[in-house]
Amino acid sequence: MALVSSWGRLGHWEHEVLALTDREQAGGQISLRRPGLAYGLGRSYGDVCLNPGGWLWRTAALDRFISFDPNTGILVCEAGVLLRDIQRLFIPRSWMLPVTPGTLLVTVGGAIANDVHGKNHHVRGTFGEYVRRLTLVRTDGEIIECGPDLKADWFAATVGGLGLTGLILTAELQLHPTTGPWIDCETIPYYSLSDFFDLSSASEAGWEYTMSWFDCLRGDSGRGIFFRGNPAEAGTRPEPKTRERAVPLTPPCSLVNRLTLRLFNDLYFNVNKRRNRRGLVHYQPFFYPLDHLQEWNRIYGPRGFFQYQSVVPPEHSREAVQAMLGEISSSGEGSFLAVLKSFGDRPPAGMLSFPRAGVTLALDFPNRGEGTLKLFQRLDAIVAQAGGRLYPAKDARMPPALFRQGYPRLGEFSSYRDPGISSALARRLMES
Ligand SMILES: Cc1cc2nc3c(=O)[nH]c(=O)nc-3n(C[C@H](O)[C@H](O)[C@H](O)COP(=O)(O)OP(=O)(O)OC[C@H]3O[C@@H](n4cnc5c(N)ncnc54)[C@H](O)[C@@H]3O)c2cc1C
């Protein structure tokens, strides 16, 4: 038995752990060790990648590249390959992942199972839209090859399927042509929520990447920084040197409190306000600003932290986001990582994919117990009333009713579940 946590570090739970290393044998291994659950790098914040008391099948060593066609950009690889290794290997060869989350320390299997999104959802949608085929092995030994045009129902259940339909062994990915590692980026300070909506809609047509940081301590009258970017050609510019640092230990209490947040928000806003310009930025700090600080999740102390990420449909997004920011600023709880982004109107790749048209707001909160949970109940009510939903990859506490309301295809999804797979999230939200 080993103690395993997820990115939010809300606890450490006992699991039997099996490291998968050979894709030919993985099916036999998981059929003997169930109920189990695939575990990539545990970069999910809550309990979607945990299975306390049961097995975890670690996939990070299933990390082989199988084939690549430099003419078409089609890459076949094992599911434990890291997005970092794909970007590092293929960007110098003029191909890149079309969609990535805000960290590269994610496996291909984890990116498919949560159908992750990035800063370009309004243009390219989710990771799952670029999976052409995947191989799924079930705990009864059945192997299912599927894709958008082959057993499309299995594919739609597995993309965004939270690891519950089987173990993804391999995936065929369509990479996107790129001119290099540079982004032509514009940084724009703004002074109200209304400015965010104006900037967002003005940027949708001409900018591939958009996202915004918002100072949530100031409610909806607060300020923010809007980032937008496009791929750039930068000739033979030298790549910046990055120094990796790590938070060396877990402090006895959270370093994130009202005082440090206020200081951080002032500093972050003022530094970026001064930038207020256009320039070339390397893709790593642009897409993955936190990746050079390893184990930054420790700053929240031994009780860990929650991320609360919602999406609300366009017709209600202004009022709903305004109401959520109002609740947060009056609650005394605050988040230094408050990200606002508009999602485009694209058909979802998976039955349980999180993104939908509208505005998504992502916030990190130190775990202060009852007070934090009460704030979430108030935010839940706003999300439910607006017809929105929460992101399971980030969740550790949403009530089952909100999950059912937000994911109307849950009943259909249930028939594709593998009975030999379970997770803490599935037991909490699906009762099995
Ligand atoms: C700093 C940071 C920034 C982030 N930014 C974003 C973002 O911008 N957008 C976004 O969408 N997400 C974001 N995330 C969340 C992250 O991208 C997802 O949680 C991702 O799925 C984690 O991948 P993982 O490999 O660590 O998988 P894990 O967290 O270990 O597992 C995630 C799920 O995938 C399943 N799984 C993993 N491997 C397999 C497999 N081989 N077969 C079947 N199921 C499998 C697991 O069972 C689990 O259900 C961010 C996370 C961090 C820490």
Side-chain angles (χ1 to χ4, degrees):
M1 283 279 194
L3 288 173
V4 184
S5 186
S6 65
W7 191 248
R9 301 178 81 248
L10 290 161
H12 292 76
W13 289 271
E14 296 223 322
H15 292 80
E16 300 277 4
V17 178
L18 173 73
L20 302 175
T21 54
D22 181 340
R23 70 174 180 275
E24 303 297 333
Q25 297 193 5
Q29 291 179 309
I30 68 170
S31 68
L32 295 174
R33 294 167 178 88
R34 45 185 199 181
L37 179 73
Y39 185 93
L41 280 200
R43 251 50 183 192
S44 300
Y45 284 66
D47 56 1
V48 70
C49 58
L50 298 174
N51 184 25
W55 283 91
L56 279 187
W57 309 315
R58 278 192 188 267
T59 62
L62 286 178
D63 59 353
R64 292 162 196 86
F65 290 104
I66 298 170
S67 67
F68 178 65
D69 182 337
N71 297 313
T72 59
I74 293 173
L75 168 70
V76 183
C77 65
E78 292 182 345
V81 164
L82 298 188
L83 304 194
R84 180 194 63 192
D85 296 335
I86 298 179
Q87 297 290 61
R88 277 190 187 164
L89 191 65
F90 292 102
I91 289 180
R93 291 166 174 77
S94 302
W95 293 96
M96 69 187 292
L97 287 162
V99 170
T100 70
T103 172
L104 279 177
L105 298 170
V106 165
T107 63
V108 167
I112 297 173
N114 278 332
D115 195 15
V116 299
H117 58 272
K119 294 179 173 51
N120 55 356
H121 182 271
H122 60 291
V123 183
R124 309 236 175 264
T126 59
F127 193 91
E129 291 186 39
Y130 303 91
V131 180
R132 294 165 47 94
R133 283 279 179 279
L134 61 82
T135 315
L136 189 70
V137 58
R138 307 264 291 174
T139 57
D140 62 3
E142 184 185 7
I143 292 179
I144 299 173
E145 286 277 340
C146 59
D149 54 1
L150 173 74
K151 297 191 178 156
D153 54 338
W154 279 100
F155 185 73
T158 301
V159 170
L162 312 174
L164 299 173
T165 63
L167 173 75
I168 302 164
L169 277 183
T170 61
E172 181 178 313
L173 307 176
Q174 175 67 66
L175 302 189
H176 186 71
T178 179
T179 49
W182 297 94
I183 307 289
D184 171 17
C185 169
E186 193 168 8
T187 308
I188 307 169
Y190 63 87
Y191 298 88
S192 72
L193 188 58
S194 188
D195 287 351
F196 161 76
F197 281 95
D198 293 346
L199 277 164
S200 187
S201 56
S203 306
E204 259 169 38
W207 296 86
E208 163 122 14
Y209 308 112
T210 62
M211 68 80 104
S212 165
W213 169 84
F214 195 82
D215 182 350
C216 66
L217 290 179
R218 294 174 170 231
D220 64 309
S221 60
R223 55 196 178 171
I225 304 286
F226 196 88
F227 301 93
R228 55 191 186 186
N230 277 321
E233 283 188 51
T236 52
R237 222 177 147 91
E239 297 210 355
K241 289 202 169 40
T242 48
R243 270 187 45 208
E244 300 224 329
R245 295 167 194 269
V247 176
L249 45 84
T250 306
C253 61
S254 171
L255 299 181
V256 181
N257 55 49
R258 202 132 176 110
L259 177 67
T260 56
L261 272 173
R262 201 168 285 288
L263 289 172
F264 171 85
N265 285 5
D266 283 345
L267 187 71
Y268 189 82
F269 183 77
N270 288 318
V271 166
N272 282 291
K273 182 175 86 176
R274 262 181 248 124
R275 274 198 190 126
N276 190 12
R277 63 182 167 82
R278 200 155 166 176
L280 286 183
V281 181
H282 192 260
Y283 79 91
Q284 289 194 20
F286 182 78
F287 290 137
Y288 319 112
L290 290 170
D291 274 3
H292 68 281
L293 185 61
Q294 290 165 27
E295 303 196 70
W296 61 260
N297 52 349
R298 287 179 169 173
I299 64 170
Y300 288 95
R303 297 181 75 183
F305 70 112
F306 293 93
Q307 184 163 114
Y308 190 95
Q309 182 166 4
S310 59
V311 59
V312 284
E315 59 277 20
H316 300 301
S317 53
R318 275 180 196 249
E319 314 86 83
V321 172
Q322 193 168 15
M324 284 193 273
L325 291 170
E327 282 293 352
I328 293 160
S329 74
S330 61
S331 71
E333 309 273 335
S335 162
F336 76 70
L337 206 139
V339 174
L340 275 169
K341 149 123 198 88
S342 296
F343 284 153
D345 190 3
R346 300 174 71 92
M351 293 177 189
L352 301 185
S353 291
F354 164 69
R356 52 153 298 158
V359 171
T360 181
L361 172 64
L363 305 137
D364 286 349
F365 295 95
N367 175 17
R368 295 212 184 86
E370 212 36 45
T372 316
L373 295 173
K374 285 212 165 109
L375 168 65
F376 291 156
Q377 285 170 10
R378 297 197 292 278
L379 300 182
D380 287 350
I382 297 167
V383 173
Q385 203 187 357
R389 58 190 175 214
L390 301 189
Y391 190 8
K394 310 283 182 76
D395 179 60
R397 42 63 55 197
M398 82 167 111
L402 184 58
F403 185 58
R404 284 194 299 270
Q405 181 191 322
Y407 292 89
R409 295 183 73 184
L410 186 57
E412 184 188 351
F413 170 79
S414 303
S415 55
Y416 296 92
R417 280 194 59 182
D418 184 323
I421 295 185
S422 184
S423 69
L425 178 137
R427 295 196 282 278
R428 180 167 59 87
L429 295 176
M430 305 178 199
E431 292 163 10
S432 64

